[in-house]
Amino acid sequence: MFLVAGTGHPTPNTTLVPIVLLTHVAHLPHLDFPANLPATPLRDNKAPSGTCCGQGSGISSSARGRGAQLGILGQLFAAGPEARPAMAASLSRPCFISLHVPYRQGWVQDLANTFRFQPVAVRETPRVRQLALRRGSAVFLVNERLSPGPTGASSHDFLYDVDPRPTLGTASNVCFEVDDVPGLCKRLQSWGCSLPVPPTEVRDEGGSVTYGVASSVVGNISHTLLDRSRYRGPFLPGFQPIQGASSATRDGIEITHFDHITYVCPRGGARAALDWYQRCFGFRRFLLNPRERPAEGYVLGGQGVGMLLLALQSAQGSPAHGCKLVLTESLSEDGANQVDTFLEQHGGAGIQHVGLRTTNIVATTRALQQQGARFFTPPTTYYSQEGKAEEIQGVGQDPRMLAELGILLDTTVPGDKGRPGADATESPSQEYLMQIFTHPIFSEETFFLELIDRRGAPGFGEGNIRALWKAVQVYMDRQQ
């Protein structure tokens, strides 16, 4: 392992030191950085710091260049876990989720003014503005184009990220904090994974961080792997803090952290993605429903629904607080559905929605609606189905209030988990969850947000999934 100084990102007064892992590089010509990376003089200046990010086959057409990656991984995985070295690093829950916004699309204002995320740090080049916005410990890093066209920016414009070259708004990067960035990157590289950004150290007066970026096998998604254990600044080196950011308290919005991230995969891609995240990042499979068969996944069929769901939980952290990934693909035999529409409009696989954990979904939904947020309306039959009112009342919630706001509720009753309306009054301590979903954030029918309030239930209710499916389908039909 060598320390090689590189030109890095053109951020004034910030030191970048790529830590290039030369072992294995020459044997993997498909990787995104050269085997012989030139050394250049190191810039060693200082810069103000920003604000904290840690507080409070599945390949799309855009990823065909990674075909060799799956080939190598497939051979390795077929050999079984004993063929791989042990994973030394494990992922914690996300540090930030990165969004890329085309020129003159004002989603940053929506995120700040409507959803009340607080701008906390900014970095700007002549072509791109990177803005970190936080609510609780949920941080979005929004990359705004300052000039038209995806070719107007270079890779040097993006710190702690890579450029997906979007022609539309997209959520494309999930940053995880890890203990050993070089070690994890070396393992990923030896397994054939693409590393568009090798381990790189960034310093300012607050200390240093080390990060690398690995390409996922799902669409345009990448993962920033970040070690900020040696950094004492409020956000990350290279970002300027935003002074006088308004307080997020007493506005009725109670969002604490990212609960889960849902991917849309092409047909046949969800299981390949499941295997990749288990093998490369140490994620663990968890069942969405007790009736789910592990070999088959969670299959929803009938009533116009044809969908496969597979779920993963980060190895580090409890089921209530760790990161969950939900992988979905269409199984519809009746023509294109909303999953297929996402693939078409997004230009391939990617992140469909992000679940934001709230401790009071009723108050938060009301406050967001007052700010202008728009939510999907569940079908009226959801609340009138047999036993649903009793199920809602059985956990102390008001059916009329939930119906008025459009909030979904599913209970988990011991011995009969996941079945809506299953005599919800039999257990006063039963687990349940409540959810509501926003309209698409961007102009295309792709990315949206979810509020989720967990009262002990770690999974996702089948009734809620079906209701969301129908609500989205009705919305899309009206849009057309």
Side-chain angles (χ1 to χ4, degrees), residues 52-56 93-97 115-118 133-140 248 251-260 320-322 324 354-361 364 368 434 450-455:
C52 178
C53 65
Q55 288 181 340
R93 68 188 188 194
C95 175
F96 64 77
I97 295 176
F115 295 95
R116 309 302 292 173
F117 274 70
Q118 305 302 306
L133 301 101
R134 184 180 63 211
R135 188 86 199 194
S137 64
V139 178
F140 284 111
D251 58 8
I253 300 171
E254 300 183 24
I255 293 172
T256 58
H257 61 276
F258 294 124
D259 180 86
H260 65 276
H321 298 289
K324 296 181 176 69
V354 171
L356 301 171
R357 179 76 71 88
T358 176
T359 55
N360 189 334
I361 195 169
T364 299
L368 290 176
M434 295 178 284
E450 170 188 346
L451 299 178
I452 182 165
D453 187 344
R454 295 187 182 275
R455 306 297 176 93

Side-chain angles (χ1 to χ4, degrees), residues 135-365:
R135 188 86 199 194
S137 64
V139 178
F140 284 111
L141 181 61
V142 182
N143 300 273
E144 295 182 282
R145 304 276 170 163
L146 302 179
S147 59
T151 59
S154 71
S155 60
H156 292 171
D157 289 304
F158 301 94
L159 190 57
Y160 310 109
D161 200 355
V162 293
D163 182 11
R165 300 192 177 277
T167 57
L168 71 166
T170 183
S172 61
N173 182 285
V174 182
C175 172
F176 293 105
E177 291 196 48
V178 301
D179 296 328
D180 180 11
V181 173
L184 179 55
C185 287
K186 184 176 181 179
R187 287 176 175 80
L188 294 174
Q189 186 179 326
S190 70
W191 301 335
C193 299
S194 175
L195 296 177
V197 180
T200 302
E201 183 179 2
V202 189
R203 302 172 183 155
D204 70 8
E205 60 193 15
S208 67
V209 303
T210 302
Y211 85 99
V213 181
S215 297
S216 169
V217 292
V218 181
N220 67 348
I221 299 172
S222 61
H223 294 291
T224 296
L225 308 172
L226 177 71
D227 177 6
R228 63 187 316 275
S229 61
R230 301 178 306 280
Y231 190 66
R232 296 298 176 262
F235 182 63
L236 292 171
F239 279 76
Q240 302 283 344
I242 295 178
Q243 303 295 339
S246 60
S247 173
T249 59
R250 299 181 181 178
D251 58 8
I253 300 171
E254 300 183 24
I255 293 172
T256 58
H257 61 276
F258 294 124
D259 180 86
H260 65 276
I261 305 161
T262 296
Y263 295 0
V264 166
C265 301
R267 297 191 184 211
R271 286 185 175 86
L274 178 84
D275 196 29
W276 190 85
Y277 278 96
Q278 286 179 307
R279 302 286 184 160
C280 292
F281 284 165
F283 274 74
R284 299 170 181 168
R285 176 84 177 273
F286 86 92
L287 302 184
L288 287 158
N289 187 287
R291 293 191 297 246
E292 177 183 347
R293 295 179 180 177
E296 298 177 5
Y298 188 30
V299 177
L300 287 177
Q303 301 178 353
V305 180
M307 180 168 57
L308 169 66
L309 295 171
L310 301 170
L312 294 157
Q313 168 86 37
S314 60
Q316 184 172 324
S318 67
H321 298 289
C323 174
K324 296 181 176 69
L325 299 181
V326 181
L327 310 171
T328 179
E329 69 175 76
S330 172
L331 300 178
S332 174
E333 299 178 355
D334 302 324
N337 56 34
Q338 59 197 253
V339 175
D340 299 310
T341 300
F342 176 96
L343 294 171
E344 178 182 356
Q345 295 200 9
H346 185 258
I351 295 174
Q352 182 207 41
H353 76 266
V354 171
L356 301 171
R357 179 76 71 88
T358 176
T359 55
N360 189 334
I361 195 169
V362 171
T364 299
T365 299

Side-chain angles (χ1 to χ4, degrees), residues 65-83:
R66 283 171 261 157
Q69 176 178 332
L70 270 185
I72 295 174
L73 290 176
Q75 297 173 22
L76 182 63
F77 298 165
E82 66 278 1

Side-chain angles (χ1 to χ4, degrees), residues 2 84 103 164 256 301 307 328 433 446 450:
F2 301 89
R84 296 184 299 107
Y103 180 56
T256 58
M307 180 168 57
T328 179
L433 60 85
T446 53
E450 170 188 346

Side-chain angles (χ1 to χ4, degrees), residues 102-143:
Y103 180 56
R104 287 186 175 176
Q105 282 198 14
W107 193 68
V108 169
Q109 288 72 29
D110 290 340
L111 192 59
N113 298 332
T114 302
F115 295 95
R116 309 302 292 173
F117 274 70
Q118 305 302 306
V120 293
V122 65
R123 173 183 179 270
E124 190 169 319
T125 74
R127 293 171 293 271
V128 171
R129 178 187 297 115
Q130 293 182 286
L131 181 65
L133 301 101
R134 184 180 63 211
R135 188 86 199 194
S137 64
V139 178
F140 284 111
L141 181 61
V142 182
N143 300 273

